[in-house]
């Protein structure tokens, strides 16, 4: 019964998202209320309380009550939409009861799906709004009663029905459906096969397979932890079987999966949220993220290569690699090309992002059916599509409840003014120094992002910390990318490095050595956010000279930092090697037009003459 209910709700949610992507969304609050009602009910079915335990009947009663009050609350908004948007009604006892029930349901599903940390943060925000006037000093506010808080959260478009929920109910939901269908109709296997063919016969082939595959999956999946759990179950055992150290295998998978959140076009769904917050186009966001994402993956490749050569890690046997003829078969290639083509058509015609996703889904489905006819039974094709919709529904649950919860928290931050207060405190502490503000914000982002999914982490730090950076004159786009990067890489940063925990569990190794390896593999990512502030060209802003300087400085860092941390040898004198790498890094981060060129020349000449005296195979050994 539970499985049938789950499947029916997932299909209904997928159909709703597909329909509104095709025809356009309903009125804002109506669209968001219907979507939230669907994802709450689906979430209760996907994450049933007490499932498999003796007290499941009690859990079922709680779930049914939560579903009932959530449907009632969302239905109330749909029915009273005109009154809410035109008269700004006062909160009644019924409104307060519906608000408490809906908020509790959203936070409870969030607890079941991602753990206690995020719901606890939202509850802290609510408690601060209700009781913050009792605090001493600058943290106190003027005070708000329960009726006013209810009106903010429930009876308007600033609380739970605000922008973040709106993005989740339209753009993000459409792309979650697109990505899930792409993976289930053959794209997932195509990504894995392509990664194996490209990386398998290089030094550190299995690690490079993990890097490519996890990056491709991560760009679509939206969750670093889920990506580790999915691709890691294939790549980590393969690396261990070929003799790779377990800690290294776990770290490679965790870092590569995290990089997928930083890479366009999805960026863990944060690209869409960032575009809405900043009021800029989605295309501008993903364009700004291209160079940093490229540098991230190049740095991982360089580190993997150096470590692989030094440790003499074996290649993947040729007979385990798929043939190019299999990878490039029409059945594999055409659906992916049609999906990308559909997206391109939507962009070319100037359609909304959600409608663009609809075009992509349509192209994918047409090509999938056309290339599968005669190759597999119709029932098998239908089962793959249904499986894709069901997985999309699960992804929409997590995105929907997290962004609805985040919207509640953001509304409380805006209501109480705590974001402005904290920003002022940071600026005051740093003495208006942009560098000191960035250092403080980066450290706080790492802490605040620990244990949170990518999108929720970004929303939190964007609301609280990004204003501190813009207050000292930092470009808003660079500031938001800065906090997004640090919030994202918290999943590989000790002590709460959840992506590493999952990878270490699969590798059956201690998490701490894996975390140290992950920090080394992802070291460039801790520097790139600061490069966004030093070089505007890093976000594709400015002329070609600015972009070229940014790219060159990034490439120097991509080579110098992994080489320094991995003990790469250039000459016979270790101190000289270290001096070359440190000097190159210093020049690369010096914001002078000539500095990147000098850094590149120093590194290239040292590598050339050093390599002549000590070949790469010996240098890494």
């Amino acid at each position: 019964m539970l499985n049938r209910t789950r499947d029916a709700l997932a299909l209904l949610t997928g159909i709703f998202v597909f329909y509104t992507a095709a025809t356009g969304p309903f009125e804002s609050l109506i669209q968001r209320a219907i979507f939230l009602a669907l994802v709450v009910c689906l979430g209760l079915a996907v994450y049933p309380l007490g499932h498999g335990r003796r007290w499941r009947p009690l859990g079922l009663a709680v779930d049914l009550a939560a579903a009932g009050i959530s449907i009632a609350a969302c239905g109330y908004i749909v029915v009273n939409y005109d009154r809410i948007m035109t008269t700004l009604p006062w909160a009644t006892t019924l409104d307060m009861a519906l608000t408490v029930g809906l908020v509790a349901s959203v936070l409870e599903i969030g607890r079941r799906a991602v753990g206690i940390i995020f719901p606890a943060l939202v509850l802290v925000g609510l408690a601060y709004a209700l009781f913050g006037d009792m605090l001493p000093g600058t943290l106190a506010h003027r005070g708000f009663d329960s009726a006013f808080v209810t009106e903010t959260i429930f009876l308007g478009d600033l609380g739970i029905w605000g922008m973040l929920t709106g993005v989740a109910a339209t753009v993000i939901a459409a792309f979650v459906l697109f990505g899930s269908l792409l993976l289930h109709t053959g794209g997932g296997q195509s990504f894995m096969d392509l990664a194996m063919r490209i990386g398998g016969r290089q030094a550190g082939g299995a690690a490079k397979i993990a890097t490519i595959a996890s990056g491709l999956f991560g760009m679509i999946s939206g969750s670093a932890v889920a990506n580790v759990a999915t691709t890691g179950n294939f790549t980590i055992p393969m690396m261990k079987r070929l003799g790779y150290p377990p800690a290294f295998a776990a770290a490679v998978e965790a870092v590569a999966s995290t990089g997928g959140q930083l890479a366009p076009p999805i960026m863990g769904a944060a690209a869409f949220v960032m575009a809405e917050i900043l009021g800029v186009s989605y295309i501008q966001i993903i364009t700004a993220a291209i160079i940093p994402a490229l540098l991230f993956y190049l740095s991982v490749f360089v580190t993997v290569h150096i470590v692989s050569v030094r440790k003499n890690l074996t290649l993947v046997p040729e007979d385990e690699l798929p043939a190019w003829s299999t990878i490039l078969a029409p059945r594999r290639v055409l659906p992916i090309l049609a999906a990308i083509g559909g997206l391109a058509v939507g962009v070319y015609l100037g359609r909304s992002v959600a409608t663009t996703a609809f075009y992509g889904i349509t192209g994918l489905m047409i090509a999938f059916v056309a290339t599968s006819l005669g190759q597999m039974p119709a029932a098998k094709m239908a089962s793959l599509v249904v499986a894709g919709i069901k997985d999309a529904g699960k992804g929409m649950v997590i995105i929907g409840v997290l962004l609805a919860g985040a919207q509640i928290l953001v509304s409380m931050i805006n209501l109480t003014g705590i974001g402005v207060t904290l920003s002022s405190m940071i600026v005051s502490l740093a003495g208006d120094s942009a560098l000191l503000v960035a250092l403080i914000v980066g450290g706080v982002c790492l802490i605040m992002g620990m244990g949170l999914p990518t999108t929720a982490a970004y929303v939190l730090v964007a609301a609280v910390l990004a204003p501190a950076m813009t207050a000292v004159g930092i470009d808003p786009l660079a500031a938001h990318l800065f906090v997004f990067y640090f919030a994202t890489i918290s999943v590989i940063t000790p002590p709460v490095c959840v992506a590493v925990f999952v990878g270490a569990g699969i590798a059956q190794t201690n998490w701490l050595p894996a975390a140290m390896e992950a920090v080394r593999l992802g070291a460039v990512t801790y520097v790139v956010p600061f490069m966004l502030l030093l070089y505007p060209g890093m976000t594709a802003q400015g002329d070609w000279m600015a972009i070229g300087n940014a790219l060159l400085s990034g490439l120097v860092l991509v080579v110098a930092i992994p080489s320094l941390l991995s003990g790469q040898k250039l000459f016979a004198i270790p101190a000289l090697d270290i001096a070359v790498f440190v000097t190159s890094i210093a020049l690369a981060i010096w914001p002078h037009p000539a500095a990147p060129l000098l850094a590149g020349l120093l590194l290239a000449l040292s590598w050339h003459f050093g390599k002549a005296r000590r070949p790469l195979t010996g240098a890494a050994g």
Side-chain angles (χ1 to χ4, degrees):
M1 179 64 181
L2 180 61
N3 289 336
R4 288 197 297 271
T5 302
R6 183 189 303 127
D7 292 348
L9 286 170
L11 285 170
L12 183 60
T13 304
I15 291 169
F16 171 76
V17 170
F18 185 75
Y19 173 77
T20 55
T23 63
F26 297 107
E27 296 291 344
S28 59
L29 264 63
I30 295 175
Q31 174 81 15
R32 299 165 193 182
I34 295 173
F35 176 77
L36 191 58
L38 287 170
V39 298
V40 167
C41 293
L42 180 56
L44 294 168
V46 172
Y47 304 101
L49 184 63
H51 183 62
R53 300 186 180 181
R54 294 174 58 186
W55 51 275
R56 171 56 186 162
L58 176 60
L60 178 60
V62 172
D63 286 349
L64 290 174
I69 195 168
S70 298
I71 292 172
C74 295
Y76 180 89
I77 295 299
V78 172
V79 171
N80 292 281
Y81 169 76
D82 289 332
R83 183 173 68 90
I84 291 171
M85 295 304 294
T86 57
T87 64
L88 299 175
W90 296 93
T92 65
T93 303
L94 175 61
D95 297 326
M96 294 182 193
L98 291 174
T99 303
V100 170
L102 180 60
V103 170
S105 299
V106 168
L107 297 185
E108 170 59 13
I109 296 172
R111 182 196 67 80
R112 298 181 196 179
V114 300
I116 191 62
I117 296 178
F118 183 69
L121 287 173
V122 179
L123 289 174
V124 168
L126 289 167
Y128 179 69
L130 292 169
F131 309 110
D133 57 320
M134 301 178 184
L135 294 175
T138 57
L139 293 179
H141 57 72
R142 64 184 180 87
F144 307 97
D145 60 20
S146 57
F148 191 80
V149 171
T150 297
E151 292 159 13
T152 302
I153 292 174
F154 190 63
L155 298 176
D157 59 357
L158 298 178
I160 197 170
W161 313 117
M163 177 267 294
L164 296 178
T165 306
V167 175
T170 52
V171 174
I172 297 178
F175 268 90
V176 167
L177 182 61
F178 169 80
S180 184
L181 288 171
L182 178 63
L183 294 179
H184 280 78
T185 54
Q189 189 60 51
S190 296
F191 289 161
M192 183 61 71
D193 287 350
L194 182 63
M196 293 185 69
R197 190 71 259 182
I198 292 175
R201 296 302 293 170
Q202 301 180 30
K208 290 176 180 175
I209 288 172
T211 302
I212 297 169
S214 299
L216 292 172
F217 276 90
M219 290 164 63
I220 303 297
S221 71
S223 169
V225 177
N227 196 20
V228 174
T230 303
T231 59
N233 275 306
F234 172 80
T235 59
I236 292 175
M238 178 176 63
M239 284 187 275
K240 289 183 64 181
R241 177 169 53 80
L242 293 174
Y244 291 38
F248 179 72
V252 168
E253 180 58 46
V255 173
S257 295
T258 301
Q261 315 308 291
L262 306 174
I266 308 299
M267 296 168 62
F272 307 117
V273 177
M274 195 181 299
E276 290 291 331
I277 292 175
L278 290 173
V280 301
S281 72
Y282 163 72
I283 298 298
Q284 185 176 344
I285 298 296
I286 62 174
T287 301
I290 289 175
I291 293 178
L294 175 66
L295 297 178
F296 174 88
Y297 276 105
L298 283 175
S299 71
V300 175
F301 261 78
V302 170
T303 308
V304 165
H305 182 82
I306 293 172
V307 173
S308 299
V309 172
R310 187 179 70 236
K311 295 186 176 181
N312 197 27
L313 299 178
T314 58
L315 282 63
V316 178
E318 181 68 36
D319 59 3
E320 294 187 18
L321 300 178
W324 278 111
S325 58
T326 300
I327 298 172
L328 299 178
R331 165 69 187 84
R332 292 287 195 86
V333 174
L334 291 180
I336 296 176
L337 293 179
I340 296 172
L343 296 178
V345 168
V347 172
Y348 177 76
L349 295 177
R351 300 293 188 260
S352 70
V353 179
T355 303
T356 297
F358 161 74
Y359 286 163
I361 294 171
T362 302
L364 171 65
M365 289 294 97
I366 292 173
F368 171 64
V369 172
T371 57
S372 298
L373 285 174
Q375 303 294 320
M376 68 174 68
K380 175 66 173 176
M381 285 192 286
S383 68
L384 290 174
V385 173
V386 169
I389 294 175
K390 288 194 292 186
D391 269 14
K394 187 174 181 180
M396 289 179 205
V397 167
I398 296 175
I399 290 291
V401 298
L402 285 180
L403 286 184
Q407 184 64 64
I408 296 170
L409 181 58
V410 169
S411 69
M412 295 300 98
I413 290 171
N414 292 335
L415 177 66
T416 59
I418 185 63
V420 176
T421 301
L422 292 176
S423 295
S424 299
M425 292 172 64
I426 291 173
V427 173
S428 176
L429 180 64
D432 292 329
S433 167
L435 177 60
L436 284 178
V437 168
L439 288 170
I440 295 171
V441 168
V444 177
C445 284
L446 285 175
I447 296 171
M448 294 178 68
M450 289 179 178
L452 295 179
T454 300
T455 309
Y458 164 66
V459 170
L460 179 59
V461 298
V464 177
L465 298 173
M469 302 188 70
T470 57
V472 292
I474 294 173
D475 176 70
L477 176 57
H480 278 256
L481 284 172
F482 182 95
V483 298
F484 168 62
Y485 268 61
F486 272 109
T488 300
I489 60 178
S490 64
V491 299
I492 60 169
T493 305
V496 190
C497 39
V498 288
V500 175
F501 292 161
V502 175
I506 297 173
Q508 298 180 328
T509 187
N510 188 293
W511 71 269
L512 188 56
M516 295 299 103
E517 290 278 6
V519 169
R520 181 175 65 168
L521 284 166
V524 171
T525 318
Y526 294 88
V527 180
V528 166
F530 291 96
M531 302 300 290
L532 298 173
L533 310 183
L534 296 172
Y535 288 97
M538 193 68 72
T539 57
Q541 298 184 68
D543 56 21
W544 286 107
M545 181 66 72
I547 295 173
N549 256 1
L551 184 58
L552 180 57
S553 66
L555 290 174
V556 170
L557 294 177
V558 159
V559 175
I561 292 178
S563 297
L564 177 65
L565 296 179
S566 300
Q568 175 68 38
K569 298 177 182 177
L570 296 175
F571 303 96
I573 307 171
L576 181 58
D577 296 336
I578 294 173
V580 167
F581 292 132
V582 170
T583 304
S584 299
I585 293 168
L587 286 171
I589 62 177
W590 182 25
H592 186 280
L597 181 60
L598 292 174
L601 287 173
L602 172 62
L603 193 60
L605 291 173
S606 299
W607 199 281
H608 173 73
F609 290 108
K611 185 179 179 182
R613 298 180 57 182
R614 183 179 289 269
L616 181 60
T617 53

